[in-house]
PDB file of all heavy atoms in Angstrom:
ATOM      1  N   THR A   2       2.417  20.615  -3.910  1.00 54.00           N
ATOM      2  CA  THR A   2       1.431  19.993  -4.896  1.00 54.00           C
ATOM      3  C   THR A   2       1.415  18.536  -4.974  1.00 54.00           C
ATOM      4  O   THR A   2       0.314  17.912  -4.964  1.00 54.00           O
ATOM      5  CB  THR A   2       1.629  20.611  -6.204  1.00 54.00           C
ATOM      6  OG1 THR A   2       1.674  22.087  -6.107  1.00 54.00           O
ATOM      7  CG2 THR A   2       0.573  20.252  -7.092  1.00 54.00           C
ATOM      8  N   ASN A   6      -1.763  16.256  -4.080  1.00 72.00           N
ATOM      9  CA  ASN A   6      -2.329  15.435  -5.231  1.00 72.00           C
ATOM     10  C   ASN A   6      -2.407  13.993  -4.657  1.00 72.00           C
ATOM     11  O   ASN A   6      -3.374  13.265  -4.883  1.00 72.00           O
ATOM     12  CB  ASN A   6      -1.543  15.424  -6.446  1.00 72.00           C
ATOM     13  CG  ASN A   6      -1.629  16.778  -7.309  1.00 72.00           C
ATOM     14  OD1 ASN A   6      -2.778  17.369  -7.068  1.00 72.00           O
ATOM     15  ND2 ASN A   6      -0.792  17.134  -8.020  1.00 72.00           N
ATOM     16  N   PHE A  18     -13.190   2.338  -2.171  1.00 69.00           N
ATOM     17  CA  PHE A  18     -13.118   1.087  -1.411  1.00 69.00           C
ATOM     18  C   PHE A  18     -14.349   0.939  -0.402  1.00 69.00           C
ATOM     19  O   PHE A  18     -14.881  -0.108  -0.262  1.00 69.00           O
ATOM     20  CB  PHE A  18     -11.799   0.971  -0.612  1.00 69.00           C
ATOM     21  CG  PHE A  18     -10.623   0.756  -1.391  1.00 69.00           C
ATOM     22  CD1 PHE A  18      -9.459   1.319  -1.178  1.00 69.00           C
ATOM     23  CD2 PHE A  18     -10.629  -0.208  -2.448  1.00 69.00           C
ATOM     24  CE1 PHE A  18      -8.290   1.115  -1.919  1.00 69.00           C
ATOM     25  CE2 PHE A  18      -9.508  -0.303  -3.430  1.00 69.00           C
ATOM     26  CZ  PHE A  18      -8.345   0.311  -2.950  1.00 69.00           C
ATOM     27  N   CYS A  29      -8.287  -6.901   3.311  1.00 87.00           N
ATOM     28  CA  CYS A  29      -7.695  -6.240   2.125  1.00 87.00           C
ATOM     29  C   CYS A  29      -6.159  -6.125   2.357  1.00 87.00           C
ATOM     30  O   CYS A  29      -5.689  -6.156   3.501  1.00 87.00           O
ATOM     31  CB  CYS A  29      -8.350  -5.007   1.779  1.00 87.00           C
ATOM     32  SG  CYS A  29      -7.905  -3.534   2.842  1.00 87.00           S
ATOM     33  N   ASP A  39       2.168   4.786  -1.826  1.00 90.00           N
ATOM     34  CA  ASP A  39       1.521   3.519  -1.509  1.00 90.00           C
ATOM     35  C   ASP A  39       1.593   3.076  -0.079  1.00 90.00           C
ATOM     36  O   ASP A  39       0.620   2.972   0.519  1.00 90.00           O
ATOM     37  CB  ASP A  39       2.039   2.351  -2.431  1.00 90.00           C
ATOM     38  CG  ASP A  39       1.848   2.657  -3.891  1.00 90.00           C
ATOM     39  OD1 ASP A  39       0.996   3.314  -4.365  1.00 90.00           O
ATOM     40  OD2 ASP A  39       2.712   2.194  -4.752  1.00 90.00           O
ATOM     41  N   GLY A  42       0.594   5.895   2.318  1.00 87.00           N
ATOM     42  CA  GLY A  42      -0.916   6.065   2.422  1.00 87.00           C
ATOM     43  C   GLY A  42      -1.609   4.830   3.160  1.00 87.00           C
ATOM     44  O   GLY A  42      -2.393   5.124   3.936  1.00 87.00           O
ATOM     45  N   TYR A  53       6.204  -3.990  -2.715  1.00 98.00           N
ATOM     46  CA  TYR A  53       6.806  -4.696  -3.974  1.00 98.00           C
ATOM     47  C   TYR A  53       8.215  -4.061  -4.142  1.00 98.00           C
ATOM     48  O   TYR A  53       8.207  -2.804  -4.465  1.00 98.00           O
ATOM     49  CB  TYR A  53       5.964  -4.542  -5.143  1.00 98.00           C
ATOM     50  CG  TYR A  53       6.513  -5.165  -6.376  1.00 98.00           C
ATOM     51  CD1 TYR A  53       6.959  -6.474  -6.437  1.00 98.00           C
ATOM     52  CD2 TYR A  53       6.648  -4.299  -7.579  1.00 98.00           C
ATOM     53  CE1 TYR A  53       7.658  -6.900  -7.607  1.00 98.00           C
ATOM     54  CE2 TYR A  53       7.214  -4.880  -8.740  1.00 98.00           C
ATOM     55  CZ  TYR A  53       7.630  -6.106  -8.704  1.00 98.00           C
ATOM     56  OH  TYR A  53       8.195  -6.574  -9.851  1.00 98.00           O
ATOM     57  N   TYR A  68       4.410  -6.737   4.786  1.00 98.00           N
ATOM     58  CA  TYR A  68       4.969  -7.785   3.892  1.00 98.00           C
ATOM     59  C   TYR A  68       5.893  -7.196   2.915  1.00 98.00           C
ATOM     60  O   TYR A  68       5.699  -6.055   2.611  1.00 98.00           O
ATOM     61  CB  TYR A  68       3.915  -8.606   3.223  1.00 98.00           C
ATOM     62  CG  TYR A  68       2.889  -9.199   4.102  1.00 98.00           C
ATOM     63  CD1 TYR A  68       1.716  -8.673   4.271  1.00 98.00           C
ATOM     64  CD2 TYR A  68       3.066 -10.515   4.615  1.00 98.00           C
ATOM     65  CE1 TYR A  68       0.710  -9.270   5.128  1.00 98.00           C
ATOM     66  CE2 TYR A  68       2.215 -10.992   5.517  1.00 98.00           C
ATOM     67  CZ  TYR A  68       1.042 -10.513   5.677  1.00 98.00           C
ATOM     68  OH  TYR A  68      -0.005 -11.040   6.456  1.00 98.00           O
ATOM     69  N   ARG A  71       9.609  -9.517  -3.522  1.00 98.00           N
ATOM     70  CA  ARG A  71      10.609  -8.981  -4.657  1.00 98.00           C
ATOM     71  C   ARG A  71      10.064  -9.546  -5.976  1.00 98.00           C
ATOM     72  O   ARG A  71      10.540  -9.106  -7.016  1.00 98.00           O
ATOM     73  CB  ARG A  71      12.053  -9.604  -4.378  1.00 98.00           C
ATOM     74  CG  ARG A  71      12.544  -8.867  -3.222  1.00 98.00           C
ATOM     75  CD  ARG A  71      14.064  -8.908  -3.176  1.00 98.00           C
ATOM     76  NE  ARG A  71      14.506  -8.243  -2.120  1.00 98.00           N
ATOM     77  CZ  ARG A  71      15.651  -8.531  -1.413  1.00 98.00           C
ATOM     78  NH1 ARG A  71      16.343  -9.627  -1.781  1.00 98.00           N
ATOM     79  NH2 ARG A  71      15.965  -7.839  -0.377  1.00 98.00           N
TER      80      ARG A  71
END
Side-chain angles (χ1 to χ4, degrees):
T2 302
N6 285 340
F18 289 143
C29 72
D39 300 329
Y53 174 54
Y68 304 97
R71 294 204 176 145

